Amino acid sequence: MTLLSPRCLAFSLLKTAKIYVSVFLATLPIIKMATTMTLVDDILKLKKEKRALILAHNYQRGEIQDIADYVGDSIELCRRAMEEKEARMIVFSAVDFMAESATILNPDKKVFIPSPGARCPMARMLPAEEVRLWKRKYPKVPVVLYVNTLAEAKAECDICCTSANATKVVNSLDSDTVLFGPDENLAWYVQQKTGKKVIPIPEGGFCPTHLLFLKEDILLLKEKHPEAVVAVHPECTPDVQSVADFVGSTSQICRYVGGPSAKKYIIGTEVGIIHRLKKENLGKEFIPAYDGAICPNMKLNTLERVYLTLKEDRNPVTVPESIAKKARRALEGMVSIAQ
Ligand code: 13P
Ligand code: SF4
């Protein structure tokens, strides 16, 4: 038997270890895929057993969109929750204000959120106390609040809106001036569309994710892809909206790109939507206007958390009835106008 020198032995051990590591790394995606498939199977099984309905916002992770019963924008998800007759529980995979709105509109249904930490920062830019201050300053002016607000703030307003129906809601009011919050960019959009005076409350409310889109980036992309059509969300700045061919809510963007207008689109909203756009429009190309535009709050919901919510009835969404009662009036007003 020939004995290896310590150096040769170390070299051969290192070589073997390298082979093991590369085999392990090569199998990682397979292990991940198998785990995901098992998790998906478990979720679908539990969903059936517990007669659950899974609703997911257009920004949710692709794997959550794929197991959801319905994927949509904030108003569509509210409506879908209201129409539901069979389900014993609703798993609302989105951020807090959306799940809260579904709870307020459906007092008889049990609504759960996979991650209670999924909170929209914009919704916190307008506390109820600040709405009261603005109301005192403009006592005769109606207050319209974006659904991206907390229930306490909604309880103080005349009517709610989403980005899909904000123009319709403001036009429905018998007033040339409205207080509108918390998104200053959506307020600007509504003012352009309605010709009314839209006073943003607070001054400078914004979505941190949509603020990442820049007009300059879009112009550069347009130079590179001159045939591409630009579709953006009204939470983008006026500068960005001004270079877009289409401005609309997430589901309005989905419908717009489904039409015959083009084969290539530059998309100015949270990148999670690209999953749905690609899935529904094979053969079309979707370029994020900025691929770092990720809403970290939306992404807190994961398949694992959906599974645990279903298994353990985790994270029920509750709103005190004294607040829910007032907020319900503002939300129902919106729903009835938008239908
Ligand atoms: P949509 O109502 O268009 O889905 O928008 C909700 C939202 O939070 C956008 O950032
Ligand atoms: Fe809130 Fe912006 Fe995230 Fe929408 S994308 S949930 S507005 S932080």
Side-chain angles (χ1 to χ4, degrees):
M1 196 172 77
T2 41
L3 281 178
L4 287 173
S5 70
R7 202 155 165 254
C8 281
L9 187 65
F11 184 69
S12 115
L13 280 175
L14 194 67
K15 225 168 136 191
T16 317
K18 263 186 168 171
I19 295 170
Y20 275 121
V21 169
S22 49
V23 169
F24 175 71
L25 288 178
T27 50
L28 261 186
I30 303 169
I31 296 170
K32 191 168 176 252
M33 207 164 77
T35 319
T36 307
M37 276 160 64
T38 321
L39 198 55
V40 167
D41 288 344
D42 290 347
I43 289 174
L44 297 179
K45 207 167 134 222
L46 263 177
K47 186 163 93 78
K48 212 168 161 188
E49 268 170 39
K50 301 194 88 168
R51 290 210 349 234
L53 175 78
I54 303 181
L55 301 178
H57 186 263
N58 288 320
Y59 296 160
Q60 289 299 279
R61 294 166 187 271
E63 60 267 30
I64 294 186
Q65 294 189 29
D66 292 344
I67 51 113
D69 293 290
Y70 188 79
V71 181
D73 67 8
S74 45
I75 182 80
E76 289 174 340
L77 295 177
C78 273
R79 285 226 191 90
R80 184 62 190 81
M82 286 171 86
E83 285 160 13
E84 182 56 32
K85 298 275 178 284
E86 300 298 319
R88 285 213 212 108
M89 73 186 288
I90 297 176
V91 178
F92 209 110
S93 200
V95 284
D96 56 353
F97 73 83
M98 296 187 190
E100 248 183 31
S101 299
T103 306
I104 295 168
L105 285 166
N106 298 280
D108 308 331
K109 290 175 191 144
K110 290 184 184 150
V111 179
F112 298 82
I113 187 163
S115 172
R119 301 192 183 116
C120 170
M122 189 213 280
R124 281 153 180 83
M125 292 179 189
L126 185 59
E129 181 48 38
E130 188 160 353
V131 183
R132 288 193 281 272
L133 285 174
W134 284 96
K135 280 185 0 180
R136 282 202 283 278
K137 198 167 167 199
Y138 294 92
K140 293 203 172 80
V141 177
V143 182
V144 181
L145 290 193
Y146 194 22
V147 282
N148 300 39
T149 40
L150 298 180
E152 293 84 343
K154 286 187 179 80
E156 294 294 332
C157 78
D158 294 289
I159 190 161
C160 289
C161 73
T162 71
S163 54
N165 59 32
T167 304
K168 230 174 173 178
V169 167
V170 169
N171 272 333
S172 77
L173 299 169
D174 187 18
S175 172
D176 288 339
T177 308
V178 296
L179 290 168
F180 189 101
D183 187 11
E184 195 177 49
N185 297 322
L186 182 61
W188 178 84
Y189 170 81
V190 173
Q191 178 156 292
Q192 307 305 305
K193 290 281 172 189
T194 60
K196 295 192 180 193
K197 185 172 179 200
V198 180
I199 303 170
I201 58 166
E203 280 160 23
F206 65 97
C207 159
T209 303
H210 284 84
L211 209 68
L212 297 172
F213 294 108
L214 298 177
K215 177 181 172 179
E216 294 70 24
D217 287 345
I218 295 182
L219 292 178
L220 275 175
L221 281 171
K222 279 205 66 142
E223 255 176 50
K224 235 169 127 186
H225 308 276
E227 73 280 33
V229 167
V230 181
V232 308
H233 197 277
E235 286 176 15
C236 294
T237 61
D239 235 20
V240 167
Q241 293 185 41
S242 70
V243 292
D245 300 289
F246 179 79
V247 182
S249 80
T250 55
S251 286
Q252 286 171 341
I253 291 177
C254 292
R255 282 191 287 278
Y256 177 73
V257 307
S261 55
K263 285 246 174 284
K264 211 186 240 193
Y265 294 87
I266 295 165
I267 303 296
T269 193
E270 209 269 354
V271 293
I273 199 172
I274 305 282
H275 177 81
R276 177 172 169 194
L277 297 181
K278 283 187 176 163
K279 203 170 151 183
E280 291 179 356
N281 300 281
L282 302 174
K284 291 192 179 181
E285 196 184 332
F286 299 99
I287 306 157
Y290 172 56
D291 57 11
I294 297 166
C295 173
N297 318 287
M298 284 279 182
K299 299 302 189 260
L300 283 174
N301 297 318
T302 59
L303 273 185
E304 287 78 5
R305 287 176 173 164
V306 170
Y307 170 74
L308 288 172
T309 301
L310 280 166
K311 186 164 174 258
E312 298 169 6
D313 291 0
R314 265 198 200 185
N315 316 320
V317 181
T318 53
V319 180
E321 187 48 29
S322 56
I323 293 167
K325 204 174 148 194
K326 292 191 201 157
R328 191 173 299 124
R329 184 190 33 80
L331 281 166
E332 282 175 351
M334 165 188 83
V335 173
S336 69
I337 282 172
Q339 266 168 349

